């Protein structure tokens, strides 16, 4: 219906978080989603990214780049890439499809040198890119093991959750809450605030 959702599936290691999420996604693929404004069902696109434990600052936007890369390699790859060429920062195109991004366009001149160049503008452009990808087709963005999430991706998830712009976007995050708490990760405070404001949900 265009109402974006962000959910955290939390639990200890090995308890079945990924198994549960995979089963839910398979069910979505089988049934599609019902749109009250259209007849029939709508297909689903799934983009999956993995957070890994990093030492030091961590690679900015790693799980998001992995997720976008999976979309670019999928059946809707050309359409995904066309949307990113209009919306995403130039450096994202260089990472995902370097041969496709030989020329900048007006929409992606900023942040061309990398994620550190114009951090706020990069954040805005990535959020806008994901919103555009979820404009007509339901997009499920799955970020696994977000207890290891880098701070740039954390800011992006917060921005996606709090935006009032309609998007057919479901962001699912799996996490070991105990690990995030033990490392005093800012994810803990962000999740708590989003849940408190009704902009996110937690399934423990």
């Amino acid at each position: 219906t265009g109402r974006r959702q962000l959910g955290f599936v939390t639990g200890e290691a090995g308890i079945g978080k990924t198994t549960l999420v995979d089963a839910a996604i398979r069910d979505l693929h089988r049934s599609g989603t019902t749109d009250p404004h259209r007849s029939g069902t709508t297909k689903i696109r799934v983009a999956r990214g993995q957070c890994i434990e990093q030492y030091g600052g961590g690679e900015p936007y790693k799980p998001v780049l992995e997720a976008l890369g999976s979309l670019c390699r999928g059946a809707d790859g050309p359409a995904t890439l066309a949307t990113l060429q209009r919306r995403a920062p130039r450096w994202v195109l260089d990472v995902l499809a370097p041969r496709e991004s030989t020329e900048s366009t007006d929409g992606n001149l900023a942040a061309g040198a990398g994620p550190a160049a114009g951090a706020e503008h990069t954040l805005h452009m990535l959020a806008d890119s994901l919103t555009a990808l979820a404009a007509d087709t339901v997009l499920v963005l799955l970020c696994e093991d977000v207890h290891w999430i880098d701070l740039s991706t954390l800011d992006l998830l917060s921005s996606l959750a709090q935006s009032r712009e309609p998007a057919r976007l479901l962001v699912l995050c799996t996490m070991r809450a105990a690990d995030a708490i033990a490392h005093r990760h800012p994810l803990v405070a962000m999740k708590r605030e989003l849940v408190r404001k009704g902009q996110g949900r937690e399934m423990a």
Side-chain angles (χ1 to χ4, degrees):
T1 61
R3 180 168 171 262
R4 57 183 73 206
Q5 301 279 315
L6 189 147
F8 297 92
V9 180
T10 63
E12 63 193 58
I15 202 169
K17 300 182 296 295
T18 298
T19 301
L20 175 64
V21 168
D22 285 345
I25 289 174
R26 284 196 300 270
D27 188 58
L28 283 172
H29 273 304
R30 282 196 301 267
S31 62
T33 60
T34 302
D35 185 340
H37 303 294
R38 304 179 185 181
S39 59
T41 58
T42 303
K43 70 176 183 176
I44 308 260
R45 285 191 294 188
V46 178
R48 184 185 297 256
Q50 174 76 50
C51 301
I52 61 171
E53 188 172 14
Q54 301 181 73
Y55 302 94
E59 181 184 349
Y61 301 112
K62 181 186 181 304
V64 177
L65 292 174
E66 185 178 332
L68 291 175
S70 70
L71 286 181
C72 289
R73 293 187 297 272
D76 293 332
T80 298
L81 191 55
T83 297
L84 294 177
Q85 286 173 332
R86 293 192 302 270
R87 307 271 187 162
R90 169 71 182 273
W91 66 267
V92 170
L93 298 172
D94 289 338
V95 170
L96 297 178
R99 287 172 294 182
E100 299 286 345
S101 56
T102 55
E103 298 292 336
S104 291
T105 62
D106 291 342
N108 59 20
L109 283 170
E120 289 188 10
H121 194 58
T122 294
L123 175 65
H124 171 77
M125 293 179 78
L126 279 173
D128 184 58
S129 297
L130 289 166
T131 297
L133 289 171
D136 296 316
T137 301
V138 174
L139 174 63
V140 179
L141 174 62
L142 173 58
C143 293
E144 297 204 65
D145 294 331
V146 293
H147 47 275
W148 289 324
I149 195 170
D150 65 273
L151 297 183
S152 297
T153 304
L154 183 66
D155 285 340
L156 177 59
L157 294 188
S158 177
S159 176
L160 290 173
Q162 296 186 71
S163 173
R164 295 175 180 269
E165 184 178 355
R168 309 186 75 188
L169 175 65
L170 170 63
V171 181
L172 285 175
C173 303
T174 65
M175 67 177 286
R176 302 201 299 259
D179 285 39
I181 292 169
H183 290 90
R184 298 182 180 180
H185 199 295
L187 166 69
V188 177
M190 187 202 81
K191 177 177 69 69
R192 182 172 57 242
E193 186 65 10
L194 291 178
V195 172
R196 184 187 68 81
K197 295 192 293 187
Q199 295 169 328
R201 298 183 183 183
E202 180 177 5
M203 176 181 288

